[in-house]
Amino acid sequence: LVESGMGKIRKTLAEAAERKIFTPEQTKGILNNIRGTTDLEAVRDADIVIEVIFEDLAIKSALFKKLDAICGERTVLASNTSSLSITELSSFVKRRDRFLGLHFFYHPAKNKLLEIVPAEGTSGATVSLALAFSKLIGKTAIRVKDAPGFAVNRFFVPWLNEATRILEEGAANPATIDSVAKNVFGIGMGPFELMNATGVPIAYHSTVSLGKELGPFYAPSARLKQQFEKGAPWELEGKVDPGAGTAVEERLLGAVFAVACRLVEDGVA
């Protein structure tokens, strides 16, 4: 598993060198700064330890209990969770003042966004350290409240879900919805292309989680559930229907405007 991870890092750096983002010498320097290990003792003196396990509370909490016992007093523990409560995760460690969420986005080597999510007991010093850390690694950080989906997924996931509802109702096909979304939002990929890139299961599990916490508007559409159970990516081929453009645009904008207002209303961001 460690070798597989290192292989992915080498591949990403090779792509960066090809695109002249880094020189070959810089990629060597970056690789020399990375050490792979399966020994938790190796992180004893780390400044920050970031957990990136899939969304399983039991497995995450078990790791944090071990890290809390191993790591030095000054080590900050952070979770990359996108759907679990940071305050709940912090309850499994004694260093609650030095625990927070650091939520990175796909692809983390390329995407500059980082959500900093303090738990109820996180100290101001820990938040300041996280902000400094985000600058050091070239990220654009936003501080958000520990709430379901934080700011970004709570905004973004309903947008994906609404696209599947439009498809479910037969109002437009994926090619049309993606085309309209790219044009209206000024982005490189539409909702169905994005779900195929990051994985349909991630979109489905995110809607299930948000639906439980925030109500039926956030819950997965029947069509998204069906695609998840099918275990296949979305079929993107098809003719773009210009006649459906306005209806698709209004539905997608309506979904995100409603969510954006609620985010401000609830003090999430």
Side-chain angles (χ1 to χ4, degrees):
L1 288 171
V2 170
E3 189 45 48
S4 167
M6 293 301 294
K8 286 174 186 172
I9 292 168
R10 282 191 284 268
K11 187 183 173 193
T12 301
L13 287 170
E15 285 171 7
E18 257 178 55
R19 293 172 59 197
K20 308 280 192 262
I21 294 166
F22 297 131
T23 65
E25 290 72 30
Q26 283 174 314
T27 64
K28 279 179 196 167
I30 292 165
L31 278 168
N32 287 339
N33 285 336
I34 300 169
R35 280 179 294 160
T37 183
T38 57
D39 181 11
L40 286 182
E41 290 286 340
V43 300
R44 177 181 291 278
D45 298 319
D47 295 312
I48 301 178
V49 178
I50 306 169
E51 162 276 313
V52 288
I53 297 171
F54 55 91
E55 303 291 56
D56 185 305
L57 181 66
I59 296 173
K60 284 179 187 282
S61 59
L63 175 67
F64 280 125
K65 283 176 186 172
K66 287 179 188 172
L67 289 169
D68 197 33
I70 289 168
C71 291
E73 200 177 296
R74 68 188 180 86
T75 301
V76 168
L77 300 180
S79 176
N80 181 55
T81 183
S82 61
S83 63
L84 299 174
S85 162
I86 299 299
T87 297
E88 185 177 0
L89 281 169
S90 75
S91 70
F92 295 100
V93 300
K94 290 173 184 169
R95 61 185 79 205
R96 292 194 185 186
D97 59 321
R98 281 155 291 142
F99 191 98
L100 79 171
L102 290 175
H103 182 215
F104 293 78
F105 293 87
Y106 184 87
H107 184 293
K110 301 167 188 175
N111 194 325
K112 285 188 176 288
L113 186 60
L114 173 64
E115 284 181 316
I116 294 177
V117 194
E120 279 176 18
T122 307
S123 70
T126 298
V127 174
S128 296
L129 184 141
L131 286 163
F133 169 69
S134 73
K135 283 181 186 170
L136 285 170
I137 61 170
K139 297 296 181 190
T140 302
I142 58 169
R143 181 176 171 171
V144 299
K145 186 178 170 184
D146 182 19
F150 310 134
V152 177
N153 277 357
R154 182 156 161 192
F155 175 90
F156 180 62
V157 172
W159 181 76
L160 298 176
N161 204 20
E162 191 68 13
T164 70
R165 285 199 190 102
I166 296 167
L167 173 66
E168 186 181 308
E169 291 162 19
N173 63 10
T176 301
I177 298 165
D178 275 0
S179 175
V180 172
K182 286 190 277 192
N183 183 46
V184 172
F185 292 89
I187 51 177
M189 295 172 90
F192 292 100
E193 288 175 285
L194 277 161
M195 282 187 274
N196 281 358
T198 56
V200 174
I202 288 178
Y204 174 71
H205 288 305
S206 297
T207 53
V208 169
S209 175
L210 288 176
K212 281 178 188 167
E213 298 279 353
L214 299 167
F217 171 70
Y218 293 87
S221 71
R223 187 65 184 81
L224 177 56
K225 185 173 187 282
Q226 182 190 358
Q227 197 68 24
F228 164 70
E229 288 169 350
K230 199 173 164 186
W234 296 102
E235 179 55 62
L236 302 179
E237 298 302 315
K239 201 172 177 183
V240 174
D241 175 14
T246 303
V248 172
E249 178 179 336
E250 287 179 355
R251 286 282 294 274
L252 292 176
L253 286 171
V256 296
F257 286 158
V259 174
C261 290
R262 280 294 305 276
L263 283 168
V264 173
E265 222 168 68
D266 296 349
V268 177

XYZ file of all heavy atoms in Angstrom, residues 176-266:
677
model
N -26.557 17.370 -22.279
C -27.161 18.710 -22.244
C -26.910 19.390 -20.902
O -26.520 20.559 -20.839
C -28.675 18.617 -22.511
O -28.882 18.010 -23.789
C -29.337 19.985 -22.486
N -27.121 18.643 -19.812
C -26.942 19.204 -18.461
C -25.493 19.638 -18.253
O -25.228 20.742 -17.749
C -27.393 18.192 -17.377
C -28.888 17.893 -17.535
C -27.098 18.733 -15.977
C -29.372 16.667 -16.774
N -24.539 18.795 -18.667
C -23.118 19.145 -18.527
C -22.764 20.381 -19.359
O -22.038 21.268 -18.902
C -22.232 17.965 -18.956
C -22.013 16.961 -17.839
O -22.544 17.178 -16.729
O -21.309 15.960 -18.066
N -23.276 20.440 -20.574
C -23.000 21.566 -21.464
C -23.517 22.882 -20.872
O -22.802 23.895 -20.836
C -23.638 21.316 -22.831
O -23.488 22.439 -23.659
N -24.750 22.868 -20.362
C -25.352 24.056 -19.757
C -24.567 24.458 -18.506
O -24.244 25.638 -18.303
C -26.839 23.815 -19.402
C -27.410 24.984 -18.593
C -27.663 23.610 -20.671
N -24.241 23.471 -17.658
C -23.519 23.748 -16.404
C -22.160 24.387 -16.680
O -21.773 25.354 -16.012
C -23.351 22.466 -15.602
N -21.436 23.866 -17.655
C -20.115 24.408 -17.986
C -20.225 25.863 -18.448
O -19.410 26.703 -18.081
C -19.438 23.548 -19.062
C -18.919 22.219 -18.528
C -18.048 21.492 -19.519
C -18.846 20.699 -20.514
N -17.998 19.769 -21.293
N -21.242 26.130 -19.250
C -21.450 27.475 -19.782
C -21.891 28.459 -18.683
O -21.332 29.551 -18.547
C -22.497 27.420 -20.899
C -22.706 28.774 -21.554
O -21.746 29.460 -21.879
N -23.944 29.162 -21.726
N -22.876 28.059 -17.876
C -23.450 28.952 -16.864
C -22.480 29.218 -15.716
O -22.368 30.348 -15.229
C -24.781 28.370 -16.319
C -25.295 29.171 -15.133
C -25.826 28.345 -17.418
N -21.774 28.177 -15.258
C -20.899 28.325 -14.099
C -19.439 28.605 -14.466
O -18.612 28.803 -13.577
C -20.991 27.074 -13.211
C -22.330 26.918 -12.540
C -23.354 26.223 -13.159
C -22.575 27.483 -11.296
C -24.599 26.086 -12.553
C -23.811 27.352 -10.682
C -24.826 26.653 -11.308
N -19.131 28.599 -15.779
C -17.764 28.894 -16.212
C -16.749 27.891 -15.713
O -15.680 28.244 -15.219
N -17.094 26.600 -15.819
C -16.218 25.528 -15.308
C -15.844 24.559 -16.433
O -16.486 24.531 -17.483
C -16.895 24.750 -14.154
C -18.313 24.301 -14.564
C -16.948 25.587 -12.885
C -19.037 23.476 -13.549
N -14.820 23.753 -16.192
C -14.305 22.847 -17.220
C -15.032 21.525 -17.338
O -14.935 20.842 -18.365
N -15.748 21.128 -16.289
C -16.462 19.847 -16.298
C -17.866 20.047 -15.742
O -18.046 20.778 -14.771
C -15.732 18.810 -15.441
C -14.366 18.411 -15.951
S -13.502 17.364 -14.751
C -14.028 15.757 -15.281
N -18.845 19.364 -16.346
C -20.212 19.409 -15.846
C -20.408 18.421 -14.713
O -19.502 17.641 -14.385
N -21.611 18.391 -14.093
C -21.841 17.525 -12.930
C -21.639 16.036 -13.202
O -21.078 15.328 -12.360
C -23.294 17.823 -12.530
C -23.897 18.563 -13.670
C -22.774 19.249 -14.374
N -22.065 15.556 -14.363
C -21.918 14.119 -14.650
C -20.466 13.759 -14.938
O -19.979 12.709 -14.489
C -22.845 13.710 -15.796
C -24.299 13.789 -15.424
C -25.073 14.881 -15.800
C -24.895 12.794 -14.663
C -26.412 14.981 -15.432
C -26.232 12.879 -14.289
C -26.989 13.976 -14.676
N -19.751 14.635 -15.651
C -18.316 14.414 -15.878
C -17.571 14.397 -14.539
O -16.685 13.566 -14.323
C -17.749 15.540 -16.746
C -18.176 15.501 -18.204
C -17.667 16.718 -18.963
O -18.240 17.809 -18.778
O -16.692 16.575 -19.725
N -17.927 15.325 -13.658
C -17.269 15.402 -12.350
C -17.527 14.154 -11.511
O -16.616 13.635 -10.851
C -17.745 16.645 -11.593
C -17.018 17.940 -11.962
C -17.837 19.153 -11.545
C -15.647 17.996 -11.303
N -18.770 13.673 -11.533
C -19.079 12.451 -10.771
C -18.304 11.265 -11.309
O -17.854 10.401 -10.547
C -20.585 12.179 -10.778
C -21.358 13.052 -9.810
S -23.114 12.590 -9.672
C -23.811 13.526 -11.031
N -18.123 11.204 -12.635
C -17.328 10.120 -13.217
C -15.868 10.229 -12.822
O -15.187 9.222 -12.616
C -17.453 10.126 -14.744
C -18.747 9.495 -15.230
O -19.551 9.014 -14.440
N -18.965 9.506 -16.527
N -15.366 11.471 -12.691
C -13.948 11.679 -12.347
C -13.668 11.330 -10.887
O -12.666 10.686 -10.572
C -13.550 13.127 -12.625
N -14.563 11.749 -9.984
C -14.319 11.519 -8.546
C -14.952 10.212 -8.057
O -14.587 9.707 -7.007
C -14.866 12.682 -7.696
O -16.261 12.849 -7.979
C -14.152 13.976 -8.024
N -15.904 9.676 -8.822
C -16.581 8.430 -8.459
C -18.021 8.660 -8.043
O -18.280 9.475 -7.147
N -18.942 7.949 -8.693
C -20.373 8.050 -8.359
C -20.626 7.697 -6.878
O -21.445 8.353 -6.227
C -21.224 7.172 -9.306
C -22.695 7.148 -8.877
C -21.103 7.689 -10.742
N -19.923 6.682 -6.306
C -20.161 6.363 -4.885
C -19.927 7.541 -3.941
O -20.638 7.691 -2.947
C -19.167 5.231 -4.597
C -18.947 4.590 -5.922
C -18.999 5.712 -6.917
N -18.943 8.395 -4.248
C -18.672 9.554 -3.379
C -19.866 10.500 -3.392
O -20.316 10.972 -2.341
C -17.374 10.277 -3.822
C -16.161 9.408 -3.453
C -17.256 11.651 -3.170
C -14.825 9.968 -3.865
N -20.404 10.755 -4.589
C -21.576 11.635 -4.699
C -22.763 11.037 -3.951
O -23.469 11.733 -3.206
C -21.941 11.853 -6.166
N -22.964 9.726 -4.112
C -24.107 9.060 -3.468
C -23.976 9.097 -1.942
O -24.912 9.504 -1.243
C -24.231 7.616 -3.956
C -25.305 6.849 -3.224
C -26.658 7.126 -3.448
C -24.982 5.869 -2.289
C -27.651 6.448 -2.761
C -25.969 5.190 -1.592
C -27.300 5.480 -1.833
O -28.284 4.810 -1.142
N -22.827 8.682 -1.423
C -22.645 8.648 0.040
C -22.746 10.042 0.656
O -23.253 10.199 1.769
C -21.313 7.994 0.402
C -21.298 6.509 0.173
N -22.237 5.667 0.727
C -20.475 5.717 -0.576
C -21.993 4.419 0.339
N -20.931 4.428 -0.445
N -22.259 11.053 -0.088
C -22.354 12.428 0.407
C -23.808 12.874 0.535
O -24.179 13.518 1.513
C -21.606 13.384 -0.531
O -20.241 13.077 -0.562
N -24.637 12.508 -0.457
C -26.059 12.894 -0.398
C -26.786 12.127 0.708
O -27.655 12.696 1.373
C -26.781 12.651 -1.748
O -26.573 11.301 -2.163
C -26.293 13.593 -2.831
N -26.426 10.879 0.912
C -27.039 10.091 1.996
C -26.736 10.755 3.335
O -27.621 10.970 4.168
C -26.529 8.627 1.993
C -26.952 7.891 3.268
C -27.060 7.879 0.772
N -25.466 11.102 3.537
C -25.029 11.731 4.789
C -25.713 13.080 5.008
O -26.243 13.355 6.089
C -23.503 11.897 4.741
O -23.050 12.596 5.845
N -25.729 13.924 3.974
C -26.353 15.245 4.100
C -27.862 15.133 4.273
O -28.472 15.900 5.016
C -26.030 16.104 2.869
C -24.594 16.617 2.750
C -24.396 17.375 1.439
C -24.220 17.519 3.909
N -28.472 14.163 3.590
C -29.918 13.961 3.705
C -30.338 13.623 5.123
O -31.345 14.131 5.625
N -29.545 12.771 5.775
C -29.845 12.392 7.166
C -29.781 13.598 8.097
O -30.558 13.728 9.029
C -28.829 11.337 7.643
C -29.120 9.928 7.151
C -28.051 8.972 7.635
C -28.214 7.606 7.000
N -27.009 6.775 7.211
N -28.812 14.473 7.845
C -28.578 15.619 8.730
C -29.466 16.828 8.410
O -29.880 17.551 9.305
C -27.106 16.058 8.630
C -26.101 15.003 9.059
C -25.931 14.928 10.560
O -26.485 15.779 11.269
O -25.240 14.006 11.023
N -29.736 17.040 7.115
C -30.337 18.317 6.701
C -31.702 18.213 6.024
O -32.305 19.231 5.706
C -29.366 19.050 5.754
C -28.002 19.420 6.355
C -27.033 19.839 5.254
C -28.141 20.537 7.381
N -32.173 16.973 5.768
C -33.517 16.844 5.208
C -33.577 16.378 3.764
O -32.541 16.211 3.113
N -34.797 16.168 3.242
C -35.011 15.521 1.950
C -34.413 16.227 0.739
O -34.052 15.573 -0.233
C -36.538 15.437 1.831
C -37.083 16.359 2.867
C -36.058 16.434 3.941
N -34.297 17.551 0.772
C -33.713 18.244 -0.384
C -32.296 17.759 -0.656
O -31.846 17.693 -1.795
C -33.709 19.767 -0.164
C -32.942 20.521 -1.220
C -33.426 20.610 -2.523
C -31.721 21.119 -0.936
C -32.716 21.285 -3.510
C -31.010 21.796 -1.909
C -31.507 21.881 -3.197
N -31.556 17.413 0.412
C -30.164 16.984 0.292
C -30.027 15.476 0.038
O -28.955 15.009 -0.312
C -29.389 17.349 1.561
C -29.221 18.839 1.769
C -30.192 19.586 2.424
C -28.086 19.498 1.312
C -30.041 20.961 2.615
C -27.922 20.866 1.509
C -28.902 21.588 2.150
O -28.745 22.938 2.339
N -31.104 14.717 0.260
C -31.054 13.250 0.129
C -30.909 12.835 -1.333
O -31.334 13.568 -2.230
C -32.310 12.639 0.731
N -30.308 11.656 -1.604
C -30.066 11.260 -2.993
C -31.343 11.068 -3.794
O -32.332 10.554 -3.279
C -29.304 9.936 -2.854
C -29.639 9.428 -1.499
C -29.839 10.637 -0.648
N -31.290 11.482 -5.057
C -32.418 11.221 -5.953
C -32.471 9.721 -6.235
O -31.462 9.015 -6.074
C -32.232 11.980 -7.273
O -31.189 11.385 -8.036
N -33.617 9.248 -6.657
C -33.767 7.826 -7.003
C -32.806 7.455 -8.127
O -32.252 6.352 -8.159
C -35.208 7.539 -7.405
N -32.573 8.395 -9.045
C -31.692 8.124 -10.205
C -30.236 8.000 -9.778
O -29.493 7.163 -10.313
C -31.855 9.263 -11.230
C -31.115 9.023 -12.552
C -31.697 7.838 -13.306
N -30.940 7.539 -14.506
C -29.810 6.834 -14.532
N -29.314 6.351 -13.409
N -29.182 6.595 -15.670
N -29.808 8.815 -8.818
C -28.434 8.723 -8.309
C -28.245 7.403 -7.566
O -27.223 6.724 -7.726
C -28.117 9.910 -7.390
C -26.734 9.924 -6.728
C -25.616 9.833 -7.759
C -26.554 11.179 -5.874
N -29.233 7.013 -6.773
C -29.177 5.734 -6.040
C -29.074 4.565 -7.024
O -28.287 3.636 -6.842
C -30.429 5.588 -5.161
C -30.439 4.356 -4.264
C -31.637 4.402 -3.322
C -31.590 3.273 -2.302
N -32.007 1.984 -2.844
N -29.857 4.640 -8.083
C -29.861 3.586 -9.114
C -28.484 3.463 -9.771
O -27.974 2.361 -9.977
C -30.930 3.929 -10.161
C -31.080 2.904 -11.269
C -31.977 3.431 -12.397
O -32.511 4.532 -12.344
N -32.142 2.635 -13.423
N -27.876 4.613 -10.088
C -26.557 4.602 -10.734
C -25.490 4.054 -9.793
O -24.603 3.302 -10.212
C -26.180 6.020 -11.178
C -25.054 6.080 -12.204
C -25.460 5.498 -13.548
O -26.641 5.453 -13.882
N -24.490 5.049 -14.314
N -25.592 4.396 -8.519
C -24.660 3.874 -7.511
C -24.768 2.353 -7.417
O -23.760 1.643 -7.403
C -24.957 4.515 -6.150
C -24.344 3.791 -4.989
C -22.975 3.806 -4.781
C -25.152 3.070 -4.104
C -22.409 3.117 -3.705
C -24.593 2.379 -3.038
C -23.222 2.407 -2.838
N -26.000 1.848 -7.361
C -26.228 0.399 -7.250
C -25.781 -0.344 -8.504
O -25.389 -1.511 -8.448
C -27.704 0.127 -6.956
C -28.086 0.516 -5.521
C -29.583 0.505 -5.261
O -30.373 0.388 -6.233
O -29.980 0.641 -4.076
N -25.837 0.346 -9.626
C -25.405 -0.223 -10.906
C -23.884 -0.404 -10.923
O -23.345 -1.237 -11.646
C -25.834 0.741 -12.014
C -25.897 0.174 -13.396
C -26.524 1.253 -14.294
C -26.297 0.957 -15.753
N -26.775 2.077 -16.591
N -23.178 0.428 -10.153
C -21.719 0.337 -10.069
C -21.018 0.763 -11.347
O -19.966 0.221 -11.700
N -21.611 1.715 -12.063
C -21.048 2.151 -13.348
C -21.009 3.672 -13.418
O -21.792 4.348 -12.752
C -21.904 1.606 -14.493
N -20.104 4.215 -14.250
C -20.103 5.672 -14.446
C -21.308 6.103 -15.289
O -21.966 5.267 -15.909
C -18.787 5.923 -15.197
C -18.477 4.640 -15.883
C -19.029 3.545 -15.013
N -21.557 7.400 -15.307
C -22.655 7.925 -16.127
C -22.311 7.820 -17.602
O -21.150 7.967 -17.984
C -22.907 9.397 -15.788
C -23.377 9.634 -14.392
C -22.634 10.084 -13.339
C -24.703 9.433 -13.877
N -23.399 10.172 -12.209
C -24.679 9.790 -12.508
C -25.908 9.007 -14.433
C -25.801 9.723 -11.696
C -27.030 8.944 -13.632
C -26.979 9.292 -12.280
N -23.315 7.581 -18.430
C -23.147 7.579 -19.877
C -23.222 9.025 -20.356
O -24.260 9.671 -20.238
C -24.264 6.733 -20.528
C -24.200 6.672 -22.035
C -22.868 6.188 -22.572
O -22.493 5.038 -22.283
O -22.209 6.998 -23.249
N -22.116 9.531 -20.886
C -22.036 10.954 -21.221
C -22.355 11.262 -22.684
O -22.541 12.424 -23.049
C -20.642 11.503 -20.893
C -20.174 11.351 -19.436
C -18.774 11.928 -19.272
C -21.144 12.029 -18.474
N -22.398 10.214 -23.505
C -22.673 10.429 -24.932
C -24.115 10.874 -25.134
O -25.011 10.474 -24.392
C -22.422 9.139 -25.722
C -20.987 8.640 -25.667
C -19.979 9.639 -26.175
O -20.227 10.243 -27.235
O -18.960 9.857 -25.498
N -24.339 11.665 -26.147
C -25.699 12.116 -26.448
C -25.671 13.479 -27.100
O -24.660 14.190 -27.068
N -26.794 13.832 -27.685
C -26.906 15.108 -28.394
C -27.327 16.202 -27.411
O -28.217 15.996 -26.586
C -27.948 14.964 -29.501
C -27.819 15.994 -30.596
C -28.753 15.656 -31.740
C -28.655 16.746 -32.809
N -29.606 16.503 -33.906
N -26.656 17.350 -27.503
C -27.032 18.491 -26.663
C -28.297 19.138 -27.224
O -28.373 19.457 -28.410
C -25.881 19.530 -26.595
C -26.321 20.780 -25.841
C -24.648 18.915 -25.942
N -29.304 19.292 -26.356
C -30.596 19.871 -26.753
C -30.652 21.348 -26.342
O -30.867 21.655 -25.174
C -31.722 19.069 -26.077
C -33.099 19.671 -26.333
O -33.212 20.536 -27.224
O -34.057 19.277 -25.628
N -30.483 22.266 -27.306
C -30.495 23.701 -26.967
C -31.825 24.156 -26.360
O -31.863 25.078 -25.539
C -30.255 24.402 -28.313
C -29.769 23.340 -29.244
C -30.343 22.051 -28.747
N -32.915 23.480 -26.719
C -34.240 23.861 -26.215
C -34.413 23.651 -24.729
O -35.286 24.269 -24.103
N -33.573 22.777 -24.127
C -33.702 22.486 -22.688
C -32.808 23.391 -21.844
O -32.849 23.344 -20.611
C -33.345 21.021 -22.429
N -32.013 24.249 -22.501
C -31.000 25.050 -21.809
C -31.518 25.916 -20.676
O -30.984 25.881 -19.563
N -32.577 26.685 -20.929
C -33.089 27.617 -19.918
C -33.605 26.886 -18.687
O -33.318 27.281 -17.547
C -34.212 28.500 -20.517
O -33.683 29.183 -21.654
C -34.696 29.526 -19.513
N -34.343 25.805 -18.906
C -34.906 25.045 -17.778
C -33.794 24.446 -16.913
O -33.858 24.513 -15.682
C -35.814 23.929 -18.303
N -32.763 23.896 -17.554
C -31.637 23.305 -16.816
C -30.894 24.393 -16.038
O -30.571 24.226 -14.856
C -30.669 22.568 -17.774
C -29.404 22.116 -17.030
C -31.353 21.366 -18.414
N -30.654 25.527 -16.700
C -29.943 26.639 -16.066
C -30.670 27.111 -14.806
O -30.058 27.280 -13.738
C -29.838 27.803 -17.065
C -29.168 29.032 -16.503
C -29.063 30.167 -17.531
O -29.086 29.885 -18.740
O -28.958 31.327 -17.092
N -31.988 27.295 -14.908
C -32.766 27.793 -13.762
C -32.771 26.798 -12.606
O -32.686 27.190 -11.439
C -34.193 28.122 -14.212
C -34.256 29.389 -15.060
C -35.651 29.728 -15.546
O -36.584 28.929 -15.306
O -35.811 30.792 -16.169
N -32.846 25.511 -12.924
C -32.850 24.484 -11.865
C -31.507 24.455 -11.125
O -31.476 24.400 -9.889
C -33.131 23.108 -12.474
C -34.574 22.895 -12.902
C -35.493 22.601 -11.723
N -35.184 21.341 -11.075
C -35.669 20.167 -11.470
N -36.497 20.086 -12.504
N -35.358 19.060 -10.809
N -30.410 24.470 -11.874
C -29.089 24.395 -11.249
C -28.781 25.658 -10.449
O -28.254 25.591 -9.337
C -28.001 24.150 -12.302
C -28.022 22.780 -12.988
C -26.953 22.713 -14.069
C -27.831 21.633 -11.994
N -29.123 26.824 -10.999
C -28.904 28.078 -10.271
C -29.798 28.148 -9.035
O -29.351 28.579 -7.970
C -29.172 29.283 -11.183
C -28.108 29.587 -12.241
C -28.608 30.651 -13.212
C -26.800 30.045 -11.600
N -31.036 27.704 -9.177
C -31.967 27.713 -8.041
C -31.444 26.894 -6.882
O -31.507 27.321 -5.717
N -30.888 25.719 -7.195
C -30.357 24.830 -6.148
C -29.215 25.505 -5.388
O -29.193 25.513 -4.157
C -29.885 23.516 -6.762
N -28.261 26.091 -6.125
C -27.093 26.654 -5.436
C -27.409 27.978 -4.728
O -26.826 28.272 -3.686
C -25.865 26.808 -6.370
C -25.390 25.453 -6.858
C -26.137 27.731 -7.536
N -28.329 28.780 -5.283
C -28.711 30.020 -4.588
C -29.370 29.691 -3.247
O -29.088 30.326 -2.232
C -29.676 30.855 -5.442
C -29.031 31.549 -6.617
C -29.795 31.952 -7.703
C -27.670 31.807 -6.638
C -29.215 32.599 -8.786
C -27.084 32.455 -7.710
C -27.857 32.849 -8.797
N -30.252 28.701 -3.261
C -30.941 28.308 -2.027
C -29.942 27.832 -0.967
O -30.009 28.236 0.197
C -31.952 27.207 -2.322
N -28.997 27.001 -1.390
C -28.011 26.460 -0.450
C -27.074 27.566 0.044
O -26.753 27.631 1.235
C -27.206 25.311 -1.105
C -26.080 24.864 -0.180
C -28.111 24.129 -1.411
N -26.641 28.448 -0.848
C -25.738 29.545 -0.448
C -26.381 30.417 0.630
O -25.735 30.798 1.610
C -25.368 30.393 -1.670
N -27.675 30.715 0.455
C -28.387 31.529 1.461
C -28.455 30.819 2.807
O -28.247 31.432 3.855
C -29.804 31.854 0.967
S -29.817 33.010 -0.414
N -28.701 29.512 2.780
C -28.773 28.746 4.030
C -27.399 28.690 4.726
O -27.325 28.733 5.955
C -29.269 27.312 3.747
C -30.759 27.190 3.568
C -31.537 27.504 4.844
N -31.127 26.695 5.984
C -31.583 25.469 6.247
N -32.483 24.912 5.440
N -31.147 24.800 7.287
N -26.325 28.595 3.941
C -24.971 28.565 4.510
C -24.683 29.837 5.295
O -24.110 29.803 6.384
C -23.931 28.382 3.408
C -23.763 26.974 2.833
C -22.940 27.004 1.568
C -23.137 26.038 3.856
N -25.099 30.968 4.738
C -24.903 32.248 5.422
C -25.828 32.342 6.639
O -25.411 32.744 7.723
C -25.136 33.427 4.454
C -25.092 34.763 5.197
C -24.088 33.403 3.335
N -27.085 31.944 6.431
C -28.096 31.984 7.502
C -27.648 31.159 8.714
O -27.823 31.573 9.864
C -29.384 31.383 6.956
C -30.647 32.130 7.344
C -31.839 31.639 6.521
O -32.233 30.480 6.729
O -32.338 32.395 5.677
N -27.092 29.969 8.438
C -26.675 29.068 9.519
C -25.283 29.383 10.075
O -24.785 28.675 10.950
C -26.717 27.616 9.034
C -28.131 27.152 8.677
O -29.084 27.877 9.010
O -28.275 26.065 8.070
